[in-house]
Amino acid sequence: MSHAAAFRALHHGRVPDDPLVLPGPWDAASARVCVEAGFPALATPSAGVAASLGYEDGQTPADEMFAAVARIVRAVDVPVSADVEDGYGLAPKELVERLLEVGVVGCNLEDSTDGGLKDPAEHAEWLAGVREEAGDRLFLNARIDTFIRGVDDPGAAIERAAAYVAAGADCVYPIAAPTALLPLLRSGIQGPVNVFARPGQGPAPAELGGLGATRITFGPGLQRHVEQSVREAAAGLAGRPVK
């Protein structure tokens, strides 16, 4: 079985209290640590990678993001999905070519850009183009940004999810959806649902699975946790208080 097929299979046939948990490595070393811990697949976070490269979230040049992801893929022997933000303005054909070139089996694609939501019909059409170019070689995780862009109505997220699934998305990701809304979202969405969690905070993965999560990702949570640990260690070495 190819890595792409194996990754797709991980999203199906899961019981409610056993969602797929995908940690977010930001470089080769952290990727190896995650694999050593026993995770069957990885999902890179754009914000974590950006921080490791010295950029603010959303400001990483496409070439540098793809190069960073390629280093992660080369370092491990498990499937890797990449967060490539809003696709960097690339046409579907070029985006798919670049993703396959670096060796990932899936990608995270956002439906907002420059701080604003994209038109859902136009975004769905673009996703359909990505699906057509990728065939079954990439697992498409369509992020829905309504909740982080000030649209609290779950109906808006469900409508976007339907459009993206119809366009060929394998999974939808209503990022930052309130936990209390997960059962409602689950009932209104076909196919796998990605839920955002924070390492060591909030409901455990099994509980989120029971509320409707098919898979769980953490964004830059692990990277920020490690950064804080380094900050504290460095302050101790310097004999200064932690900022």
Side-chain angles (χ1 to χ4, degrees):
M1 181 182 295
S2 69
H3 268 178
F7 186 69
R8 182 170 279 103
L10 287 171
H11 293 76
H12 296 282
R14 310 198 73 85
V15 296
D17 63 349
D18 183 32
L20 175 62
V21 178
L22 298 174
W26 56 95
D27 60 12
S30 59
R32 287 179 174 142
V33 168
C34 290
V35 173
E36 289 170 3
F39 289 99
L42 308 174
T44 68
S46 62
V49 174
S52 75
L53 297 175
Y55 293 101
E56 294 296 322
D57 185 22
Q59 300 301 310
T60 309
D63 287 349
E64 293 200 44
M65 181 63 74
F66 285 116
V69 172
R71 290 191 290 271
I72 290 171
V73 172
R74 287 197 300 268
V76 297
D77 59 0
V78 301
V80 177
S81 180
D83 181 349
V84 288
E85 302 179 325
D86 64 354
Y88 305 113
L90 299 175
K93 180 177 175 58
E94 183 178 359
L95 176 62
V96 169
E97 288 175 347
R98 299 200 68 174
L99 288 166
L100 294 175
E101 182 181 17
V102 301
V104 297
V105 300
C107 60
N108 202 64
L109 295 168
E110 304 168 5
D111 69 348
S112 65
T113 188
D114 296 326
L117 287 165
K118 295 182 180 180
D119 176 86
E122 293 178 0
H123 187 61
E125 182 177 1
W126 181 77
L127 285 174
V130 176
R131 174 84 285 158
E132 182 177 4
E133 294 291 341
D136 63 359
R137 296 175 295 174
L138 292 174
F139 186 96
L140 304 185
N141 187 37
R143 202 178 89 173
I144 299 169
D145 289 358
T146 51
F147 292 104
I148 63 171
R149 301 301 179 195
V151 181
D152 297 328
D153 177 14
I158 291 172
E159 288 178 4
R160 285 175 178 259
Y164 302 162
V165 169
D170 296 288
C171 182
V172 295
Y173 178 16
I175 187 172
T179 302
L181 290 180
L182 293 182
L184 176 62
L185 294 172
R186 172 70 280 173
S187 67
I189 295 175
Q190 293 184 348
V193 175
N194 189 148
V195 170
F196 172 76
R198 299 183 185 279
Q201 300 179 39
E207 184 178 350
L208 290 173
L211 293 172
T214 307
R215 84 179 203 177
I216 296 169
T217 54
F218 304 91
L222 286 177
Q223 184 272 328
R224 289 175 179 171
H225 176 77
V226 170
E227 181 179 335
Q228 181 59 26
S229 296
V230 173
R231 181 177 292 110
E232 293 171 359
L237 292 172
R240 298 175 180 174
V242 179
K243 293 184 179 180

